[in-house]
Amino acid sequence: MIALTNNQKVPLDIKQFEQDAQTILNHLGYGDFDLGILITDNKTIHAFNETYRGKDKPTDILSFPFHPELKAGEQIAPETEDDKNLGDIIISPEYVKADLEQWGQSFEQRMSVLLVHGICHLLGYDHIEDADYEVMKKKEEELLALLQS
């Protein structure tokens, strides 16, 4: 189940965003897993970024995996119903709008990219090393193509 909370003012098609998240989860084989999504403002994401990453500034997205030991490409094998949880993502559309120019994307496109990016992080994908970046980028492209079809 997707638990989506929107406590900010930037216009966003929440129903479509939630549908996109469910489409991604279904495609990945996690259609019956929990996913928390908080759509919030810069002040709130700033507080999370400072508390959990030690960065005293807002950002576009944060991901909090329920299975932090998961490696990219591994499938979660839940042992209990509680294990059917991917984790949480937090996105600030306020930050996204202010940061759009550098990406050459519409607001909706960038929000889709961030949704995919966040879910990939919840599933063990990372981009610290170049090789990991390539693996993550390939998965992101697959999922974005799914949303555009």
Side-chain angles (χ1 to χ4, degrees):
M1 179 182 99
I2 296 173
L4 192 149
T5 302
N6 179 24
N7 67 4
Q8 55 84 49
K9 295 181 173 130
V10 175
L12 174 66
D13 186 343
I14 293 297
K15 191 171 270 195
Q16 182 64 53
F17 197 78
E18 189 171 356
Q19 269 184 325
D20 288 350
Q22 190 64 56
T23 297
I24 293 166
L25 297 188
N26 291 346
H27 175 77
L28 294 170
Y30 296 115
D32 61 341
F33 275 58
D34 292 336
L35 170 65
I37 302 173
L38 173 59
I39 308 294
T40 193
D41 57 20
N42 280 350
K43 181 180 177 186
T44 303
I45 206 166
H46 183 155
F48 278 101
N49 203 21
E50 187 169 18
T51 300
Y52 294 101
R53 296 183 64 228
K55 300 197 184 269
D56 187 16
K57 61 182 182 178
T59 189
D60 50 4
I61 186 168
L62 295 170
S63 301
F64 299 93
F66 188 81
H67 301 276
E69 71 290 342
L70 192 67
K71 303 286 184 238
E74 288 181 352
Q75 197 73 13
I76 298 168
E79 295 179 19
T80 68
E81 280 300 306
D82 287 343
D83 288 341
K84 289 182 153 188
N85 188 338
L86 295 182
D88 300 296
I89 58 176
I90 303 172
I91 302 176
S92 172
E94 180 183 358
Y95 188 97
V96 172
K97 276 192 97 146
D99 197 41
L100 269 181
E101 190 174 303
Q102 75 164 320
W103 296 104
Q105 298 171 323
S106 71
F107 173 72
E108 291 76 16
Q109 289 169 325
R110 188 72 192 142
M111 289 295 290
S112 292
V113 166
L114 290 171
L115 175 64
V116 164
H117 187 78
I119 291 173
C120 283
H121 273 308
L122 297 181
L123 296 175
Y125 291 87
D126 212 326
H127 46 82
I128 296 170
E129 303 292 329
D130 287 347
D132 295 333
Y133 169 79
E134 289 303 320
V135 171
M136 185 171 184
K137 183 179 175 197
K138 185 176 178 184
K139 180 55 78 174
E140 288 177 333
E141 288 170 352
E142 169 194 330
L143 297 175
L144 283 169
L146 177 71
L147 296 181
Q148 294 165 355
S149 62

